[in-house]
Amino acid sequence: MSQANSQDETRFPWEIGVFDAHCHPTDTMASIADIPSMKATTLTVMSTRADDQDLVFQAASNVAKDSGNGTIGRILPCFGWHPWFSHQIIDDTAAKSGREEEPSSAADIKKSHYSKVLKPPPGDEFISTLPEPKPLSELLSETRSRLLKFPTGLVGEIGLDRAFRLPQAWTQEEIETRDGRMTPGSREGRQLSPHQVRPDHQKAVLEAQLRLAGELQRPVSVHSVQAHGAVFDVFKGLWSGHERKVPSRRERKRRNSHAEAHADSDAEEQSLRDSNARKPNGEQEHLPFPPRICMHSYSGPVEALKQFLHLSNPSEVYFSFSSVINFGHQSDRSVAVIKALPDDRVLVESDLHIAGQEMDDRLEDVTRQICEIRGWALRQGVQQLADNWRRFVFGE
């Protein structure tokens, strides 16, 4: 092998297109200015809470304006509420019992809400440090409005988390020493309280956002920690009655010879995908679930892949991986999952909270690791991952 060929095989081929499937650069707004000089092609930028929804919107608007591309450029915006902040939302969309006595004042509403959705129920002092809760209906209306301004925008980051505990209130010392470059609203290293968001409340907020994604036919990015079974159950409930018909082996043999059945399996799966969300007259149907789902920094077991990838599922499920989450203490599990996935369902992400050189480095690192695990040549793998991201985002 010539030295030139050897160098070409080891040089990272940014020119093919490298797409970060999940990141949070608006957590460090000063870094947004570094995005135009990055090697990555497009960053799929998540919002998570009240403090960053407009920041993601503004960053996407400004970068799109700079690039001269009004639909998609260096930033693909995503709008949604993370389960870590779901306690800040009042579910005003649920039917109320006539026996329930409604709180009369804003203070009573706040106390009643946080007492219901947090476990163990917090005391008055802790509640006083929490923000005024926001109605779910208002959140959905704002998210819909933002998504309509970005026809390719996603819903995210949303999901379930059974491990998370709310941080303690800021101490005066922490306030004085905090990094002023960071967008407010996140933990920022504070000590954790014993309080968690009740799973049923997290599920209500997740399901409402999945239904909105279905209404607008937008892909979603899903967070799941110690909750993969529960997340799948939410998907399954929304999919109920809309499952794709999967021909039995006997039916396939009736139509084709044994050899043809194997040769046409990919085409058959594609046909099943394309039939999703179509009315008999060919128009797009409003469905209660998103067309495509990304399980971000997937940390679940390999055994769960079978249910997520079943051909009857009317949503396509993808799995993204980051070096920070998947190649630390969970490395062996992640390797097994990456090896077991179909080629076309793998995505890469940085999950980083600052744009620039470090984000590029993270993307290159995780891409090289996945190519090695799957036995892909580097250029082949980068092209496959780019194609996968485009299909996840655009469905084409």
Side-chain angles (χ1 to χ4, degrees):
M1 181 185 294
S2 71
Q3 184 177 1
N5 287 341
S6 175
Q7 289 175 344
D8 189 59
E9 287 185 8
T10 58
R11 182 186 64 82
F12 196 75
W14 291 100
E15 69 278 3
I16 291 174
V18 177
F19 301 89
D20 190 335
H22 189 107
C23 59
H24 302 271
T26 55
D27 277 359
T28 313
M29 279 301 293
S31 74
I32 298 298
D34 295 331
I35 292 176
S37 62
M38 286 179 62
K39 296 174 185 175
T41 308
T42 298
L43 311 181
T44 314
V45 177
M46 302 291 140
S47 55
T48 58
R49 58 194 187 275
D51 306 86
D52 64 9
Q53 306 291 327
D54 283 339
L55 295 182
V56 172
F57 184 92
Q58 292 163 12
S61 299
N62 292 339
V63 172
K65 189 183 300 180
D66 292 343
S67 67
N69 186 335
T71 54
I72 186 169
R74 305 304 297 275
I75 289 179
L76 179 64
C78 309
F79 304 103
W81 278 65
H82 195 288
W84 291 359
F85 307 98
S86 58
H87 61 289
Q88 299 175 12
I89 301 164
I90 291 180
D91 184 6
D92 61 338
T93 65
K96 303 293 183 182
S97 167
R99 296 189 298 269
E100 289 186 21
E101 184 176 341
E102 294 292 332
S104 56
S105 68
D108 288 342
I109 291 172
K110 179 178 179 180
K111 179 177 180 179
S112 173
H113 167 71
Y114 284 121
S115 297
K116 286 178 182 177
V117 303
L118 296 179
K119 63 173 187 177
D124 291 351
E125 183 177 354
F126 188 81
I127 290 175
S128 70
T129 68
L130 299 174
E132 294 296 323
K134 184 184 187 76
L136 178 56
S137 60
E138 185 178 331
L139 176 155
L140 295 172
S141 177
E142 292 174 354
T143 302
R144 181 184 290 104
S145 177
R146 293 186 179 102
L147 288 168
L148 291 175
K149 297 284 179 58
F150 287 93
T152 56
L154 276 62
V155 174
E157 178 177 359
I158 61 177
L160 302 178
D161 193 317
R162 286 185 168 168
F164 175 74
R165 290 178 289 146
L166 272 66
Q168 296 282 10
W170 287 93
T171 65
Q172 188 59 39
E173 181 181 359
E174 288 169 338
I175 292 172
E176 292 172 355
T177 59
R178 75 173 293 272
D179 186 346
R181 297 172 301 171
M182 296 291 292
T183 298
S186 63
R187 177 189 170 191
E188 294 187 44
R190 286 177 288 162
Q191 294 294 312
L192 296 179
S193 77
H195 305 294
Q196 295 181 294
V197 186
R198 292 186 181 276
D200 58 342
H201 183 71
Q202 290 190 46
K203 287 180 183 179
V205 174
L206 170 61
E207 182 174 325
Q209 294 183 95
L210 289 170
R211 287 183 179 276
L212 176 61
E215 173 194 331
L216 300 179
Q217 284 297 283
R218 303 299 179 89
V220 301
S221 186
V222 174
H223 170 108
S224 177
V225 173
Q226 297 181 17
H228 295 94
V231 165
F232 180 78
D233 287 343
V234 173
F235 295 162
K236 188 175 180 181
L238 296 176
W239 290 337
S240 180
H242 300 275
E243 294 86 352
R244 296 168 176 155
K245 184 180 185 304
V246 181
S248 66
R249 186 184 300 272
R250 180 175 296 178
E251 288 172 322
R252 291 198 297 271
K253 284 184 176 180
R254 279 200 202 107
R255 292 198 302 264
N256 308 298
S257 68
H258 183 72
E260 289 172 336
H262 281 282
D264 292 343
S265 60
D266 291 342
E268 185 169 49
E269 180 173 350
Q270 182 64 51
S271 176
L272 285 166
R273 289 172 174 170
D274 293 343
S275 67
N276 185 35
R278 296 289 176 183
K279 293 181 179 179
N281 62 7
E283 295 178 358
Q284 197 77 8
E285 184 179 1
H286 282 178
L287 297 171
F289 52 83
R292 294 171 298 284
I293 296 166
C294 173
M295 300 298 294
H296 118 79
S297 285
Y298 178 73
S299 59
V302 69
E303 293 80 12
L305 298 182
K306 186 175 181 180
Q307 61 184 5
F308 282 111
L309 294 171
H310 197 278
L311 281 178
S312 66
N313 297 343
S315 301
E316 292 179 15
V317 183
Y318 294 74
F319 301 81
S320 65
F321 301 91
S322 63
S323 57
V324 66
I325 300 296
N326 297 109
F327 294 104
H329 67 281
Q330 298 189 54
S331 181
D332 290 345
R333 172 182 284 189
S334 296
V335 168
V337 168
I338 291 166
K339 285 182 176 179
L341 284 170
D343 286 351
D344 64 349
R345 298 301 179 91
V346 183
L347 300 171
V348 292
E349 59 170 89
S350 68
D351 197 23
L352 198 60
H353 294 69
I354 185 169
Q357 184 62 49
E358 185 180 354
M359 189 174 282
D360 278 340
D361 291 345
R362 293 272 185 98
L363 290 170
E364 178 175 349
D365 182 52
V366 72
T367 298
R368 287 183 179 276
Q369 290 184 80
I370 286 176
C371 287
E372 181 177 350
I373 291 166
R374 292 197 62 87
W376 290 337
L378 185 57
R379 292 188 66 86
Q380 171 200 359
V382 171
Q383 184 66 64
Q384 179 71 62
L385 293 167
D387 292 344
N388 292 354
W389 182 89
R390 291 187 182 99
R391 182 172 181 85
F392 165 64
V393 171
F394 301 112
E396 299 172 354

